[in-house]
Structures are given as structure tokens and as C-alpha cells.
Amino acid sequence: MRTRITTLAAASAACAMLLLAGCASRPGRDIDGDLALYVAEPVRQRFAGTPRAEPLAAAPALDFFENRQELELKGNLGLISIVRQQAHANWQQGQLLLVTGSDVAREKIGDNNARARFRGLSLCGLVPVFSEYAVGMQVNRTLVMPIGAVFIPIEVTDDVYFSYRYRLSRFEGDPAKLCAPAPGASFAYRTETERQVKENGGRFARFNKQVTINDAVSCRAAPGLQPLSQITPGAKGSYLRVDCEHKDNIENLQRRSLAWVVDAGAYLPLEEVGWQGTIKTRYPRLGYTVGPAVVPAPPAPPAAPRTPTKPVATTVVLAASP
């Protein structure tokens, strides 16, 4: 039987794309409607009240990135899927980072594929505050149907749609330490989150489940900085590798490695190891915005010539796609 596993990405919808492999049977409760997305007031006050470190306030801001993610399941199945992701990042109040983008995924074995759009708000790229993903999958599988005394294989294609929502309800930790790690330093934090996965179509059993996850995280930074070109060929600057261990009541994510990009003051995921396997991420391109954001001039009346847009910012591409 052709594999029934398709995944999109850790950063986007890995759990949603693994529902066919058992994620749907994970602990959870049936609900109606969608999980409301907002920043809980205690969380907002805690995060937004922590200003960016002074050296980062005037530094170039991470504006966009493209990455390639590869998923290897546990066991001997090897490389399962490849994901290409494009995303744009914007700093909000304090240390809150808003990321929006889209994913395209394909299986290494079989011809299943998926597309997704996502947005998420996080504490400097490390602690998700809320996020939502809309995932469309095309799943190809083989069914064996009895026809008389003979079993005939039949190729079936299903269009399946998932949505995934995440909301942080409680946080314990020091945002200043998390968002400005020093070489060799250690830090820890705790979170309580609500997560929802919903199937909107397809021939599989439909569901809408929500689960509460309590996560204790301990992290340690590497002893020294490394060239950013190690993760983005040709890029200038440096990054600090940070390794984190997670212990939660679901045992979903076990270990995570991230790159704290010094100039941007934000984290980018490098590797995640959980119950489903290992997801590795590489970055062909990164870009910074120098100066204030570009604000287009309003359109002129139809009869009048269009007012030219005055550029007030410069986007610097650190590396081109290979």
C-alpha cells in the first residue's frame, strides 16, 4: 500500500500533515468552531513590556527568509518529504515577531503533495504566542477492493484540508534572557498552550480536536558564535546555536535546535526531534530591511498622474538561491 503520510513542516503544519499517521489519535477533546486567536492580557503585558536590547533597536531587521525542510521519520523509512517555505517577518510591539508566509511540500516517496498558508506571532521567534495554518493536501493511495473472488487494487486521490491553531495562555520565564542569549548561557521557561487541529474535507473521518499542553523547556547556548554562512551560503554576520529540551504532557516535541541570528535578534529553527522523527531546516536566502518600512504613496485620482512612491528603506539580500 502506498504510504499515507504527508508532512508540511515543523514551523508550519507538521502535526496536521501527520494526522494520517496517528496524530489524530493523540489526546484531545472534541470541540465545535475554531480556537479564538488573541494575545492573553498577562502575556501581552509581559512580552510587549520587554523592549528590544539597545544594540538591536537600530540593527537591520529580519525581513524575509526562504528555507528548505526535510522530514525523516523514525525507523527505516528514510527521507519522507521536502518543504520549501517563503516567509516575511515584521517586529511588532516589544519583542513580538510576526511571521506570515506559505509552504509547498512534496513526498520523497509517492506523489502526495501539500500547500499551506500561515501566520504566527512569537516572542523573538522562540516562544509561539499564537499561530494558524491552512493546509491543503492531495493524498494518493491504493485501496484493495474485493470484486467477486478477486481483489483488485484501485488508485484513489483525496483532497484533504486541515486547519491548525495555537494560542499561548500562560508563560513563566524572563523574556530579556530568552531574546538576548549570551554564549554558554542557560535559561528555562514554561508555557501552557491551547492547540486545535481540524479536518475540513476528504474521505477520512472528520474531526475537530483541541488539547491543552504544558511544556517545560530548558535551553543552553553554544560557547561561541559561528559564521552565518554555515546556514546561509554567502551570508555575512554570525549566529549563536541554542539547543532546547522540551518536556510536556503530550510528549510531542523532545528536542529543538535554533540559530539566534545576532544582527536580527531573532531565532530561526535548525532541527526538531519529536515523536514523529526529525525535521531539518536549511536557509538558501535571508534578507534584512535597513531603516523604516516602505510606505507606498496613496493612488492619485484617475484623471491625474500617479504620485511616485518614494523609497524610504533598503532590502538587503544576504544570499542568493543556489
Side-chain angles (χ1 to χ4, degrees), residues 15 23 26-31 35 164-167 169 192-197 208-214 248-250 252:
C15 184
C23 186
R26 306 294 285 181
R29 57 190 180 274
D30 295 330
I31 63 170
L35 176 70
Y164 176 76
R165 289 189 164 207
Y166 176 112
R167 185 184 71 219
S169 53
E192 179 181 273
T193 59
E194 297 294 330
R195 307 186 194 188
Q196 175 196 23
V197 181
N208 187 2
K209 289 192 173 184
Q210 181 176 333
V211 62
T212 301
I213 298 180
N214 293 286
D248 63 43
N249 56 317
I250 302 297
N252 223 355

Side-chain angles (χ1 to χ4, degrees), residues 201-285:
R203 304 186 189 190
F204 302 102
R206 298 186 180 186
F207 57 87
N208 187 2
K209 289 192 173 184
Q210 181 176 333
V211 62
T212 301
I213 298 180
N214 293 286
D215 194 8
V217 187
S218 58
C219 303
R220 177 177 291 274
L225 300 177
Q226 301 179 60
L228 191 59
S229 58
Q230 289 186 1
I231 59 173
T232 301
K236 298 180 180 180
S238 58
Y239 78 96
L240 181 65
R241 183 184 177 98
V242 177
D243 295 310
C244 299
E245 291 188 358
H246 293 250
K247 294 182 180 180
D248 63 43
N249 56 317
I250 302 297
E251 298 182 346
N252 223 355
L253 183 62
Q254 299 169 358
R255 181 171 57 82
R256 189 163 57 137
S257 297
L258 307 101
W260 186 68
V261 183
V262 176
D263 288 342
Y267 288 90
L268 293 176
L270 296 177
E271 183 175 282
E272 297 188 5
V273 179
W275 64 270
Q276 81 281 7
T278 301
I279 299 174
K280 298 179 180 179
T281 306
R282 301 294 179 265
Y283 297 88
R285 301 179 74 224

Side-chain angles (χ1 to χ4, degrees), residues 1-8 17-18 20-21 73 79-83 104-115 135-142 155-160 162 204:
M1 178 178 294
R2 188 174 298 175
T3 180
R4 291 167 49 184
I5 302 170
T6 307
T7 189
L8 207 93
M17 303 299 290
L18 283 166
L20 304 181
L73 290 186
L79 181 63
I80 293 297
S81 66
I82 297 175
V83 182
V104 177
R106 65 177 176 83
E107 274 192 335
K108 189 67 174 179
I109 54 177
D111 53 0
N112 298 332
N113 60 80
R115 292 178 179 272
V135 184
M137 293 195 309
Q138 188 176 79
V139 180
N140 299 283
R141 58 197 179 110
T142 302
E155 298 293 325
V156 177
T157 298
D158 280 323
D159 290 323
V160 185
F162 293 101
F204 302 102

Side-chain angles (χ1 to χ4, degrees), residues 55-120:
L56 298 175
L62 181 66
D63 177 60
F64 73 87
F65 58 84
E66 295 179 3
N67 66 31
R68 172 191 169 105
Q69 296 175 325
E70 298 180 351
L71 170 65
E72 295 181 2
L73 290 186
K74 290 182 177 178
N76 298 318
L77 293 178
L79 181 63
I80 293 297
S81 66
I82 297 175
V83 182
R84 294 188 181 276
Q85 181 183 85
Q86 292 184 332
H88 293 269
N90 294 286
W91 286 103
Q92 305 296 299
Q93 194 175 17
Q95 296 277 15
L96 297 179
L97 181 66
L98 179 67
V99 176
T100 59
S102 61
D103 291 341
V104 177
R106 65 177 176 83
E107 274 192 335
K108 189 67 174 179
I109 54 177
D111 53 0
N112 298 332
N113 60 80
R115 292 178 179 272
R117 297 188 65 83
F118 61 88
R119 70 181 179 115

